[in-house]
Amino acid sequence: MLVETLANLFTPEHLAVIAACTLYGTVVGAMPGLTATMAVALLVPFTYFMDPLMAISAIVATTSTAIFAGDIPGALMRIPGTPASAAYVEDAHRLSRAGRARSTLCVSLFAAAIGGLVGVAMLALIAPQLARVAMQFSSYETFWLACLGLSCAVMTSNADVAKSFASLFLGLFIASIGIDVAVGYPRFTFGNFELYDGISFIPAIIGLFALSEILRSARSGETGTRVTADQEPLPAALREALATLRRYKRNVARSSVLGTLIGALPGAGADIAAWICYAVSRRFSRQPERYGQGHVEGIVDGGSANNAAIGGAWTPALVFGIPGDSVTAIAIGILLLNGLTPGPRIFTDSPELVHTLYGAFALTNLIMIPAGLLVILVASWLLRIPRRVLMPIVLLFSLVGAYAITNSAIAIWIVLALGALGYAMEANGFPLAPAILGIVLGGIVEDNFMTSMLKAQGDLLAFFERPWAAALGTLTLLVWALLLWRAARDALRRRSPAS
Amino acid sequence: MAQHDRLAGCLLILFGALVLWRASGFPSMAGLAYGPGLFPSIAAIGLIGCGAIIALGARRPASRDTSRSESTTGTSRRRANARMASLLGVVLGYALLLEPLGFHVASLLLVVAAARIFGLPWGRCLLLAVPLVVAVHALFYSLLHVPLPWGVLTPVAW
């Protein structure tokens, strides 16, 4: 098995794809305004033409490096390249203004690589154990799990509960467009045959994550922030970074483990992991007053946590088919397009996929070090590429990429509609992650609900008869009750002018 | 950023009601009380409920004055909105023109128009657009074999 995995991993094409995606992820992640999710969304049309193993490696390589590279503009321009770098941007920028940009970024890079390796090690240890339990699940349990995954996405997003739910229901509605699973009735297609297959997943995510970002950047215009140019020589920066990591090795260990666990919660991704680990680090630090003033300790924690979370997010995705964040939601969509259904059976049916995934993760985190050093060297030059050149390029790639999937202009229409929707949602405080989870999980929820209803002859109590189903169902109902209560409380509090 | 919670809530209610109305017309499965309409209806009811909570919980307009005092003045905000609207218009035009004009002409127009909206001078727009279209052609058409439409250029297609 090991030999086979290594043989899969070390083919020239595979290595080339991983290396190319590592560089691509670093460059896109380093561009302020282009997020890691957007990097994946733009990559997806290409993965469509690869075999599934390679596609998964490409996604893993791109996300891991994009999350690290988000630290680069954070340090140099005080603009986090991806939301996951926002937690410690103040510290990174102040250090960089003090002339320590390169050593700070090297700390980020090494912390990210270690975090990523810990994340995948934990994934490899925990996921097969969970899968053994999940093997006993029937359509009842799968239905509840999908519901739970959707609800967790709402619970962990730090936006308004009602708005997160609205986003989720919009996603579920979009998922229901097209021929229905039970009797084959075309829903909401308005006679358009190209919609019978449903809203194409890839144009949908390109619209939600790429076009909406381009629109936002069109609205905000060119930012005048200058790059901090003062830089130290690389060897000195490397020495200092390694010394820093030795000093804070316990922080790296703590945040890597905690980050993986947070990432494994459905809906909580790298950004939330970074925020929580930064806060935990401050709580236990001997110098909490220096956080936010240019202290490197928080960068060690946040930097390792957000990369560890990427590995963690794959745990629920692989074991239950429930994505842990928007990127794994996209990855699940790609696996489904390739005819592979993530879930406990994937560990026995296509173990080569699982093992290649682990291998790709480990390899990426190692290749990321030289690639990251390279980008740190050219960073100040890279960040001088103005937005007015970058955005038209991204726009053309998004539209052509979407077109490549359907080979018809319907893809452009989907990108346009969902791009406008995504922009309007974000501008008004509606989070996008629940919507994308809704689009991906909508089909699974409906399939399992309909199958269960047919088996049970419409008896809703059957959803609670099996022990695991009862436990998961009760948990889901509890989460719903909690969320409902929170939404009502928020709404009431906002209405009363006293607060 | 000014948020229009009341409007958003009302739109969600309206949209949910519309979906509910359409879904009620779907046929049900033989002998069962539910069918293809069940799931869209659940989503629609959810949308109506969330819309109601959002609209009812909307902040009083009084608090909006503070959020408006950001650095953006009236004209620059209008200009920002115009930039965004024209970008949407450009994508709309691309959707309409891609197949009749063909990938190359439409993409050239798209990149030039988008770069103009972002404020790139005319000359540099072309300098950006021509190599970009060639690169995308090489990547998608030659390498990935995506059948990009040639449109008006069909006579010279290869």
Side-chain angles (χ1 to χ4, degrees), chain A residues 98-171:
Chain A
R100 290 168 58 195
R102 280 186 177 163
S103 61
T104 309
L105 287 174
C106 287
V107 169
S108 287
L109 175 62
F110 291 123
I114 298 170
L117 288 172
V118 171
V120 69
M122 285 179 67
L123 170 70
L125 280 177
I126 297 171
Q129 310 303 325
L130 280 175
R132 217 165 291 158
V133 177
M135 278 301 265
Q136 308 159 12
F137 288 3
S138 71
S139 62
Y140 298 111
E141 284 88 357
T142 315
F143 167 76
W144 284 123
L145 263 178
C147 286
L148 202 58
L150 291 173
S151 325
C152 282
V154 174
M155 198 158 70
T156 47
S157 85
N158 32 19
D160 194 81
V161 176
K163 287 181 173 177
S164 307
F165 261 123
S167 164
L168 175 62
F169 285 122
L170 277 173

Side-chain angles (χ1 to χ4, degrees), chain A residues 46 163 165 169 173 180 183 185 187 217-219 388 391 403 407 409 413 423 427-428 445 449-450 494-495, chain B residues 1 3-5 26-27 29 35-36 38-39 50 56-57 80-81 83-84 92 98-99 118 120 144 147 149:
Chain A
F46 296 97
K163 287 181 173 177
F165 261 123
F169 285 122
F173 165 73
D180 99 284
V183 294
Y185 183 79
R187 299 184 292 200
S217 114
R219 201 170 182 284
R388 50 180 195 256
M391 285 302 165
Y403 183 89
N407 290 327
W413 289 109
Y423 173 80
N428 289 294
V445 176
F449 184 72
M450 283 304 187
R494 230 171 308 138
R495 259 186 98 73
Chain B
M1 212 174 288
Q3 299 194 354
H4 313 283
D5 280 358
F26 292 171
M29 281 190 279
L38 179 64
F39 241 74
C50 292
L56 289 177
N81 284 334
R83 270 202 303 270
M84 198 187 67
L92 185 89
L98 179 60
E99 275 161 357
F118 277 97
L120 204 68
L144 296 177

Side-chain angles (χ1 to χ4, degrees), chain A residues 370-395:
Chain A
L373 287 176
L374 190 73
V375 174
I376 290 172
L377 271 179
V378 299
S380 50
W381 171 80
L382 195 67
L383 293 181
R384 252 176 244 142
I385 300 176
R387 222 182 259 199
R388 50 180 195 256
V389 173
L390 200 61
M391 285 302 165
I393 300 178
V394 175
L395 181 64

Side-chain angles (χ1 to χ4, degrees), chain A residues 31 41 45 55 62 72 77 102 104 166 203-204 209 237-238 246-247 254 301 353 424 460:
Chain A
M31 295 292 177
T62 306
I72 297 175
M77 302 160 77
R102 280 186 177 163
T104 309
F209 289 107
L238 270 175
R246 258 200 302 279
R247 194 165 353 124
R254 180 184 63 208
D301 281 283
L353 179 95
L460 279 175

